[in-house]
Amino acid sequence: MAKVEVELKKLYQILVDAEYFYQVPDYQRPYVWDKDHLGALIDDLVGSYINNREDEYFCGSIVIAENPKDKRWDVVDGQQRLTSFIILACTILKLYKHRLRQKSKDFIEGSIYDKYDKEKERLKFLTAQNYNSIFENTVLNNLEFEDNIKKGELNKKFDENTYLRNAYYFKELLNESMENGSISDMDDFVKWFYEHIVLTRIICFEQDSAMQIFQVLNDRGQPLSPIDILKSSLMQEIKQDSEKRKDFITTWDKLVEACKSVEGIDIVLEDFFNMYLEYADPSSSKKRADKGLKKVFKDSKKDACEFIYDVSAFMKSYTDLLKKPDRYIYLLRYLPSRFWASILTTALYVKYPDFDALKRLLVSYYYQTWIAGGTITRIKQTSINIIKNVKSNKDIETIQELILDNIESYNTFNQYHYNLWESSSVYPSKWLRLVLALANYFMTDEEKPHFIAMDAETQVEHILPQTPKRGSQWNADLDKEKREKWVNNIANLTLLKRKKNAKALNMDFDEKRKIYGGKDPSKVISCYDITKELYSDYRKWDEKSLQKRHDFLHEIITPILYIEGQEEKYEDDFDLE
């Protein structure tokens, strides 16, 4: 690790020191302390002031990182505490200035401005840029408490200005402490505040060191992600250009907001940036996102604004992809890896001419591999190679060859074929619901098919129950050997909503048919086409029916998962006897 200095410092040595000016970097999360935090802080401070006045009051640590471009120190950890201390000091100065002697006034004013060079009036502490004007204008310079303002108007101000809201909270808490005698001499309290509060100041001379320390120390919330660090690095490049900086922040915020714009889909920003890295520089995709993208940014020769415009355009391609009412896209969304999204977003972004053929090919490849038991490792390098080929607009035949080579090298086809069609037990494979959903999607030719959510409500139903009741029709139609042969075969499985599944349970087939088809008025719950078909096409459930349904599912699923050029492995007769 690079050079790090650790110092135990009194509050005045941190905030009033002539050499140290601080700022909250824009990648940090906003100031969020509320009344509960402030109440606990005042209780602790006043309690220590009353009971242990001569002792030092340890108030945690702050982590700062040198930022040579700004000639300031980035507060990587501790911004909530430092911001609150300064709001408290400004509140005291506003309310009790007439009770303070010069030393106390100097402490407070030195926390706000450079007391050693007042002509420049350089602020000692800056919040993140898009909040700092609010902080400076309503708390540092022009703090005003309006006693007669309506509560609704005040709450609106508080919603817009957390700093002002907390100043009002501090006013309330300080007045209580003065009225109950906990603080009888405000001047003495201020001197104690600056001279007895101590913090561990951890000084880092490189941002990465600060981030590592922050992640070790921070157990109060979600640590900064590589994307927070990337944002900081990009903003450093346009630090001196306020217009570009503002433009960057606006574009970044829209990018974050776009993650929430796709109904029913939770886009994780870090996953998206990893996708962009796979597109922008597939060779860097093994690196942590911030480090890989820093290289992409440097190689692009663009400024930070131009770079984030490109990222934002890539995000639009991604959200457009997710909004498509397309059964192939729906099937890809179920997959446990995101390579399909990197590939198809790249295809939309570069206007790849064979997009439709590509999406069909990816469904076949990834589903064959998943059903065959393949891991992400098996598909990773081929997926990266597909991205490269799509990006350079190679024809679909070239990409198909890449996929067929991968399938052949792992014997994927034979294993997939056995697991899905020859095995007597596909239940409870992780891919089973998705294959049944695939069959459901392709039973009809809906122009805009409805997405089947794979949540706890969508369950796999055994038509022939796993444990039929003694004396039921199941035992008459299928002997024990045949039940064992078929019960966990794909032919005997379908999709049901949880409530409907609970109602069907171990009923005889005649009763189940009514539930499947929604023909029992007391049990009508939305169902799937693959399940409704059982009502219309079957009158009983015996071995002949199971063989018929096996063939039916095979005829739907096989063309979707077959890749042209594969050796024909399927037989005409799928009788399992």
Side-chain angles (χ1 to χ4, degrees), residues 46-315:
V46 172
S48 184
Y49 172 68
I50 294 170
N51 301 313
N52 304 291
R53 190 171 306 190
E54 301 306 316
D55 296 337
E56 292 179 337
Y57 173 73
F58 180 69
C59 203
S61 62
I62 64 168
V63 179
I64 60 175
E66 188 175 28
N67 191 327
K69 292 188 177 181
D70 293 331
K71 298 182 180 177
R72 284 184 177 271
W73 294 83
D74 286 345
V75 180
V76 177
D77 188 29
Q79 68 134 326
Q80 306 288 335
R81 195 177 303 110
L82 286 185
T83 307
S84 298
F85 283 156
I86 293 171
I87 295 172
L88 175 58
C90 291
T91 304
I92 291 172
L93 187 65
K94 178 64 182 178
L95 295 175
Y96 306 105
K97 187 173 183 177
H98 60 287
R99 301 190 186 188
L100 304 180
R101 296 183 178 88
Q102 194 58 47
K103 184 175 183 180
S104 295
K105 291 178 186 175
D106 286 346
F107 276 151
I108 294 176
E109 290 172 352
S111 301
I112 302 171
Y113 293 109
D114 182 3
K115 75 173 189 176
Y116 300 99
D117 192 355
K118 289 188 177 180
E119 289 184 5
K120 291 183 179 178
E121 288 196 338
R122 189 181 182 203
L123 290 172
K124 291 291 295 183
F125 180 86
L126 302 177
T127 62
Q129 187 192 45
N130 44 340
Y131 300 108
N132 198 62
S133 61
I134 296 174
F135 183 51
E136 181 179 355
N137 294 329
T138 61
V139 176
L140 300 185
N141 283 341
N142 303 301
L143 181 57
E144 295 293 340
F145 295 109
E146 301 178 62
D147 295 327
N148 299 319
I149 189 170
K150 292 180 181 179
K151 188 174 182 180
E153 294 177 14
L154 194 58
N155 287 337
K156 184 178 179 182
K157 284 192 173 187
F158 289 172
D159 289 341
E160 297 170 351
N161 190 336
T162 305
Y163 311 104
L164 182 62
R165 180 199 70 187
N166 284 1
Y168 270 84
Y169 286 164
F170 273 134
K171 175 192 174 186
E172 179 183 328
L173 295 165
L174 289 169
N175 283 343
E176 287 177 7
S177 297
M178 292 290 286
E179 288 169 6
N180 65 27
S182 299
I183 301 175
S184 56
D185 185 341
M186 187 57 72
D187 180 73
D188 187 59
F189 177 75
V190 171
K191 285 187 288 189
W192 175 88
F193 179 74
Y194 279 95
E195 293 178 340
H196 286 78
I197 290 178
V198 296
L199 299 100
T200 300
R201 182 168 66 186
I202 303 172
I203 303 173
C204 304
F205 295 90
E206 289 184 6
Q207 287 277 345
D208 283 352
S209 301
M211 297 302 174
Q212 290 175 33
I213 292 170
F214 171 79
Q215 298 212 21
V216 170
L217 292 176
N218 192 310
D219 59 357
R220 295 176 300 285
Q222 191 178 17
L224 293 175
S225 72
I227 302 310
D228 295 319
I229 301 168
L230 172 68
K231 181 182 179 185
S232 169
S233 300
L234 292 173
M235 293 190 70
Q236 296 303 323
E237 301 295 327
I238 49 173
K239 199 72 177 179
Q240 307 307 320
D241 191 327
S242 60
E243 283 303 312
K244 281 195 172 183
R245 189 178 175 85
K246 183 178 179 181
D247 195 15
F248 179 93
I249 293 171
T250 300
T251 306
W252 184 282
D253 288 347
K254 287 180 179 177
L255 189 67
V256 172
E257 196 59 32
C259 291
K260 308 169 189 174
S261 69
V262 185
E263 186 177 355
I265 303 171
D266 184 20
I267 300 176
V268 178
L269 192 62
E270 188 165 348
D271 288 345
F272 165 73
F273 271 99
N274 277 305
M275 284 171 48
Y276 182 79
L277 178 58
E278 286 163 359
Y279 149 75
D281 187 1
S283 64
S284 302
S285 61
K286 293 180 182 179
K287 295 182 179 179
R288 204 174 73 176
D290 60 312
K291 295 190 175 185
L293 286 168
K294 282 180 191 177
K295 177 181 181 298
V296 169
F297 169 64
K298 185 177 179 182
D299 292 346
S300 73
K301 309 296 183 186
K302 296 177 179 177
D303 68 22
C305 278
E306 292 171 325
F307 180 73
I308 205 65
Y309 295 156
D310 285 348
V311 175
S312 185
F314 194 78
M315 171 62 89

Side-chain angles (χ1 to χ4, degrees), residues 425-432 488:
S425 184
V426 301
Y427 183 85
S429 303
K430 290 181 179 179
W431 44 261
L432 175 58
N488 289 319

Side-chain angles (χ1 to χ4, degrees), residues 510-521:
D510 285 344
E511 290 299 310
K512 284 197 171 193
R513 278 184 71 242
K514 295 176 185 177
I515 295 173
Y516 296 160
K519 300 305 178 183
D520 185 333

